[in-house]
Amino acid sequence: RSLFRSLFRSLFRSLSLSFFLSLFRSLCVCVCVCVLPISLAFLPNCTSNNCTFSRVRIRLSFIPQNRNMTSPWSDFIAGTLGGGLGVITGHPIDTIKVRVQVSQGKLSAMRCFRATLQREGMRGLYRGITPPLLFDCAQNAVLFASYGIVSRWLLEGRRRQEGDQITLPLSHVFVAGCLAGIPTAGVICPIDLIKSRLQVQGTTGGATALRGPLQAVSSAVRVGGVASLFTGLGATLARDVPSFGVYFLSYEAIKRTAAERDLPTTVTQVLGGGVAGMVAWAVTYPIDVVKTIVQTHGVLHPTEPPLGMLPCATANYQRHGLRFFFHGCLPTLFRAFPVNASVFLGYELTSSFLKS
């Protein structure tokens, strides 16, 4: 009881006006970049591709003329909004996860949480939120749009072979998720690189020269060129291809089971999304540990050469054993449920709204 009392005391003491202003600024940027252009599709006086907006006439040739959005547009927009909601929900726990991973067993999740609040305040938990808040929207947009395109293509193939096929088999759902993970990994890799390097700021042995995402990007490009932004791409592919296959497979299995038992739709979406996220992370978490170490190696050990995926995994297994690859697993699974429940709830609600 005294532990939780001290934690909450440190939490509320760390809340400051500057933290809320910083978070509000990030939200405003996200809305301006991702949501505002999309909302133009639903202006009430858009009778064609031309929209009258006060005295300005805007040409919206990229928006379909009818209000019923096509499936790729619906998946793209719904994934964008769902991804933004998921980032706001789970970023503090993700910060703890990254710091526990790079501590190489020296910190537990609770100790890391307390130390972060005491040294940096609540703002430390949201350190590095700007890149994922902006780009996780793009990541989820690419993921859900790719999954929708592949699943519809596979379903069309089943219909040609077997006639009237309404639902996609779960084996095909897994394949569609794996294929959707390939283009998504190309978006996730530089985002995770910048986010992880910002999150390890202030940890023992970490440099403190990076003050924001732009400086982190310029520092990486200056040292290793544009290709350095894709450091850990192999590990990202190794994680995301099976992870998203399991992700969509778990969600669809829970969704279909709940439909047979007449469970409420909202409960199904929240439960299915949360459990799907936890299962996907549990399956591929050891690869995520290796990816994090590879991507943060240049910040924590700037004088050493770049670290590859297989040498990193082999060296840490020999030094720390199998348990090393599960450091930070509990906060990650704890984070996975609310984040992915928010993502799928936001996706399903937005998708239903757009398709109606």
Side-chain angles (χ1 to χ4, degrees):
R1 187 181 301 173
S2 61
L3 173 63
F4 283 103
R5 188 184 298 116
S6 63
L7 285 177
F8 282 113
R9 188 182 299 115
S10 301
L11 176 65
F12 287 112
R13 188 184 299 136
S14 64
L15 294 176
S16 62
L17 179 61
S18 61
F19 161 73
F20 288 110
L21 289 176
S22 177
L23 183 60
F24 178 73
R25 181 186 60 189
S26 299
L27 287 174
C28 290
V29 173
C30 180
V31 169
C32 292
V33 172
C34 302
V35 179
L36 188 59
I38 293 169
S39 64
L40 293 176
F42 304 102
L43 289 175
N45 54 350
C46 287
T47 55
S48 65
N49 281 350
N50 293 321
C51 296
T52 303
F53 200 60
S54 299
R55 295 185 178 182
V56 182
R57 196 171 181 82
I58 307 173
R59 179 73 176 178
L60 300 175
S61 59
F62 62 92
I63 297 176
Q65 292 189 16
N66 58 352
R67 292 290 184 85
N68 191 352
M69 304 290 284
T70 59
S71 292
W73 274 97
S74 175
D75 293 336
F76 188 88
I77 297 173
T80 300
L81 300 180
L85 182 61
V87 171
I88 297 172
T89 303
H91 188 79
I93 309 174
D94 188 64
T95 301
I96 300 301
K97 180 206 74 170
V98 170
R99 294 189 173 191
V100 169
Q101 286 177 346
V102 300
S103 70
Q104 299 185 355
K106 298 177 182 178
L107 282 176
S108 65
M110 187 60 69
R111 287 182 59 191
C112 182
F113 176 71
R114 293 187 63 183
T116 302
L117 283 180
Q118 290 173 359
R119 286 201 307 264
E120 305 170 65
M122 190 66 178
R123 191 171 186 176
L125 295 175
Y126 280 91
R127 188 181 293 276
I129 192 177
T130 304
L133 190 61
L134 292 175
F135 298 117
D136 274 23
C137 296
Q139 163 195 324
N140 281 277
V142 172
L143 173 63
F144 282 98
S146 301
Y147 173 75
I149 292 172
V150 175
S151 60
R152 283 189 291 273
W153 175 67
L154 292 175
L155 182 60
E156 194 63 32
R158 294 279 296 185
R159 285 175 177 171
R160 285 197 297 266
Q161 292 179 359
E162 303 182 8
D164 191 14
Q165 182 77 17
I166 299 176
T167 59
L168 197 64
L170 290 179
S171 59
H172 287 55
V173 171
F174 176 77
V175 172
C178 291
L179 293 177
I182 297 176
T184 307
V187 179
I188 291 177
C189 185
I191 298 172
D192 275 0
L193 177 77
I194 301 305
K195 179 188 71 174
S196 298
R197 292 188 174 186
L198 288 172
Q199 284 174 327
V200 299
Q201 300 291 292
T203 59
T204 303
T208 57
L210 303 178
R211 296 184 186 136
L214 294 179
Q215 190 173 7
V217 171
S218 63
S219 175
V221 172
R222 184 173 62 252
V223 173
V226 178
S228 65
L229 295 176
F230 293 91
T231 301
L233 180 60
T236 306
L237 283 168
R239 181 196 66 176
D240 287 352
V241 170
S243 175
F244 287 126
V246 174
Y247 188 56
F248 286 105
L249 172 64
S250 303
Y251 180 73
E252 282 296 325
I254 295 173
K255 187 177 178 181
R256 295 178 189 184
T257 303
E260 294 174 358
R261 300 183 179 181
D262 295 328
L263 292 179
T265 304
T266 303
V267 174
T268 301
Q269 294 166 354
V270 172
L271 181 63
V275 173
M278 294 181 71
V279 172
W281 271 110
V283 170
T284 59
Y285 187 80
I287 306 176
D288 182 69
V289 174
V290 176
K291 180 196 73 68
T292 301
I293 296 174
V294 169
Q295 290 186 325
T296 57
H297 183 77
V299 172
L300 297 177
H301 308 282
T303 60
E304 298 181 7
L307 193 61
M309 176 182 173
L310 291 179
C312 174
T314 303
N316 284 286
Y317 176 74
Q318 293 175 350
R319 188 180 311 156
H320 304 286
L322 187 62
R323 188 177 180 180
F324 170 80
F325 297 98
F326 292 92
H327 286 318
C329 184
L330 287 180
T332 300
L333 296 181
F334 176 74
R335 166 187 177 270
F337 190 93
V339 169
N340 291 281
S342 301
V343 169
F344 270 105
L345 180 62
Y347 168 80
E348 293 285 5
L349 292 177
T350 307
S351 181
S352 298
F353 171 75
L354 295 178
K355 290 178 181 178
S356 65

